[in-house]
């Protein structure tokens, strides 16, 4: 069973992007994935992507206490 979590990326109430992460409990001990990260073209090149990744990694660590995150590219 997988658990996908879509999240919006905002700046002062303005939606500027989207991310999705997921947790796959099998095989044990499970895999945590950062699967999507999109920043609207109008907001690219302004540091939003870097800040979003840092915030997402902090969120993933808090929610799952995992030191390893897999990426989908």
């Amino acid at each position: 069973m997988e658990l996908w979590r879509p999240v919006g990326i905002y700046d002062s109430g303005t939606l500027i992007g989207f991310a999705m992460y997921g947790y796959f409990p099998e095989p044990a001990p499970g895999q945590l994935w950062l699967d999507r990260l999109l920043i609207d073209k109008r907001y690219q090149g302004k540091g939003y992507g870097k800040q979003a990744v840092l915030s997402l990694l902090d969120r993933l660590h808090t929610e799952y206490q995992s030191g390893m995150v897999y990426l989908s590219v």
Side-chain angles (χ1 to χ4, degrees):
M1 169 192 248
E2 68 227 29
L3 175 64
W4 290 108
R5 294 188 185 232
V7 292
I9 300 170
Y10 291 86
D11 181 15
S12 300
T14 301
L15 180 64
I16 61 163
F18 168 82
M20 186 169 64
Y21 60 93
Y23 180 74
F24 295 80
E26 297 295 329
Q31 294 180 348
L32 184 56
W33 286 82
L34 177 52
D35 195 67
R36 301 281 190 273
L37 177 65
L38 304 127
I39 302 294
D40 184 296
K41 183 178 180 178
R42 295 171 292 175
Y43 299 98
Q44 292 179 8
K46 299 179 180 183
Y48 288 112
K50 179 179 180 177
Q51 186 58 49
V53 168
L54 293 173
S55 294
L56 284 164
L57 289 174
D58 184 53
R59 181 176 185 158
L60 295 174
H61 178 71
T62 299
E63 285 185 30
Y64 299 100
Q65 291 81 43
S66 177
M68 183 175 291
V69 177
Y70 294 86
L71 301 177
S72 174
V73 294

